[in-house]
């Protein structure tokens, strides 16, 4: 037993306060101080955990931004989508943790979205261009079948064969899907089973213009032997590869 410091009544040593005057005992004061220290320690631990979590989320937001930048620069759908998703996750988690959403997360969301939209737009354009190219190839194939078995070749047939060759095989490093703006108004010269069509023009998606000479040959029917950029159909040297993907033998100059 201990005495109450206020009224002098006998109080149990483990009592928090005097049961008569409600004055807090020394044990009660010690217990209250322990509780305050425990609360302060818990709050400190929570603050440290929160700071560590916010730092981890800030790092995640930076990674998201890097992925989003890579996706937007390269039009890579997976990278852009990853940056967008990580940015959203980091932003949401920071808000839930009571922090201010990092600027890097916002940048990742915006750039990731731009990358995804750009990729989808590119896919749509590619599909559209592929369909247009396939339709044009079908139309040209039907057109050339009408007269390519004749002995003499005319300008429309020669131009159609040259365009068909470009759309099916491309030219050199130029992919067929990038060929557009085909023009064919050059001179056609035929000598026997060989013909030369000058000034075959087209440009690529990068607006790079090309001027070629179509070298045509007649076996069972007319076909393009080569598409050349030197203005000639004379035989090439053994070391000089053909620019056409058709694999046919080089034509001699008419």
């Amino acid at each position: 037993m201990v005495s109450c410091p206020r009224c002098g009544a006998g109080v149990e040593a483990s009592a928090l306060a005097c049961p008569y005057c409600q004055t807090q005992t020394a044990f009660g004061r010690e217990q209250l101080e322990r509780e305050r220290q425990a609360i302060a320690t818990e709050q400190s631990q929570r603050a440290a955990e929160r700071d560590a979590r916010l730092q981890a989320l800030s790092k995640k937001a930076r990674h998201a931004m890097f992925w989003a930048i890579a996706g937007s620069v390269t039009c890579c759908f997976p990278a852009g989508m990853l940056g967008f998703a990580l940015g959203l996750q980091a932003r949401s988690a920071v808000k839930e943790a009571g922090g201010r959403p990092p600027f890097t997360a916002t940048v990742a969301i915006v750039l990731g979205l731009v990358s995804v939209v750009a990729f989808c737009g590119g896919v749509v354009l590619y599909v559209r261009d592929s369909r247009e190219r396939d339709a044009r190839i079908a139309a040209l194939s039907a057109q050339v079948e009408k007269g390519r078995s004749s002995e003499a070749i005319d300008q429309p047939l020669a131009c159609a064969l040259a365009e068909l060759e470009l759309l099916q095989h491309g030219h050199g490093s130029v992919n067929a899907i990038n060929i557009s703006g085909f023009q064919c108004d050059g001179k056609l010269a035929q000598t026997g089973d060989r013909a030369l069509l000058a000034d075959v023009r087209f440009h690529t998606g990068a607006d790079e213009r090309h001027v070629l000479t179509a070298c045509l040959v007649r076996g069972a029917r007319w076909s393009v032997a080569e598409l050349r950029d030197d203005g000639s159909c004379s035989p090439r040297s053994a070391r000089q590869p053909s620019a056409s993907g058709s694999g046919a033998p080089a034509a001699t100059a008419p």
Side-chain angles (χ1 to χ4, degrees):
M1 297 286 289
V2 295
S3 298
C4 173
R6 183 176 181 182
C7 66
V11 182
E12 293 288 341
S14 61
L16 299 178
C18 175
Y20 302 103
C21 65
Q22 302 304 317
T23 299
Q24 192 176 47
T25 64
F27 177 79
R29 288 192 297 271
E30 292 176 359
Q31 189 66 21
L32 180 61
E33 183 63 25
R34 291 192 191 97
E35 291 177 356
R36 288 176 179 173
Q37 289 179 356
I39 292 174
T41 301
E42 183 180 358
Q43 290 177 343
S44 177
Q45 290 177 347
R46 288 181 178 178
E49 291 174 357
R50 176 178 174 272
D51 291 342
R53 177 169 173 77
L54 289 177
Q55 289 180 1
L57 290 173
S58 179
K59 184 177 181 180
K60 183 177 182 179
R62 290 195 298 271
H63 288 168
M65 184 180 69
F66 293 149
W67 279 111
I69 291 174
S72 62
V73 171
T74 62
C75 289
C76 177
F77 178 80
M81 193 64 194
L82 179 60
F84 177 74
L86 290 178
L88 281 178
Q89 292 176 2
R91 182 182 176 86
S92 176
V94 169
K95 291 180 67 176
E96 289 180 0
R100 183 178 179 181
F103 176 73
T104 50
T106 303
V107 172
I109 293 171
V110 173
L111 291 181
L113 184 60
V114 169
S115 175
V116 171
V117 171
F119 178 83
C120 293
V123 170
V124 171
L125 292 176
Y126 179 83
V127 171
R128 184 201 65 182
D129 291 345
S130 295
R131 289 179 177 177
E132 291 178 353
R133 171 175 164 269
D134 292 342
R136 181 59 179 166
I137 289 176
L140 289 170
S141 297
Q143 176 183 342
V144 299
E145 288 302 322
K146 298 177 181 179
R148 66 188 305 181
S149 297
S150 60
E151 293 185 3
I153 186 170
D154 56 17
Q155 183 87 5
L157 176 59
C159 288
L161 287 171
E163 184 179 0
L164 186 60
E165 175 71 15
L166 284 170
L167 293 179
Q168 289 180 325
H169 303 106
H171 177 69
S173 62
V174 179
N175 191 285
I177 195 67
N178 296 324
I179 292 175
S180 60
F182 180 82
Q183 293 180 340
C184 183
D185 50 11
K187 181 180 179 182
L188 174 66
Q190 177 181 353
T191 302
D193 291 337
R194 300 185 182 275
L196 181 150
L197 177 63
D199 294 330
V200 175
R201 301 174 182 268
F202 69 92
H203 61 81
T204 64
D207 204 28
E208 181 181 355
R209 299 189 177 276
H210 299 261
V211 181
L212 304 176
T213 298
C215 305
L216 303 107
V217 61
R218 179 178 180 270
R221 57 183 187 170
W222 286 102
S223 62
V224 176
E226 283 187 296
L227 292 173
R228 296 173 57 169
D229 53 12
D230 58 1
S232 172
C233 285
S234 59
R236 294 175 180 270
S237 65
R239 295 182 180 180
Q240 195 171 8
S242 171
S244 172
S246 62
T252 57

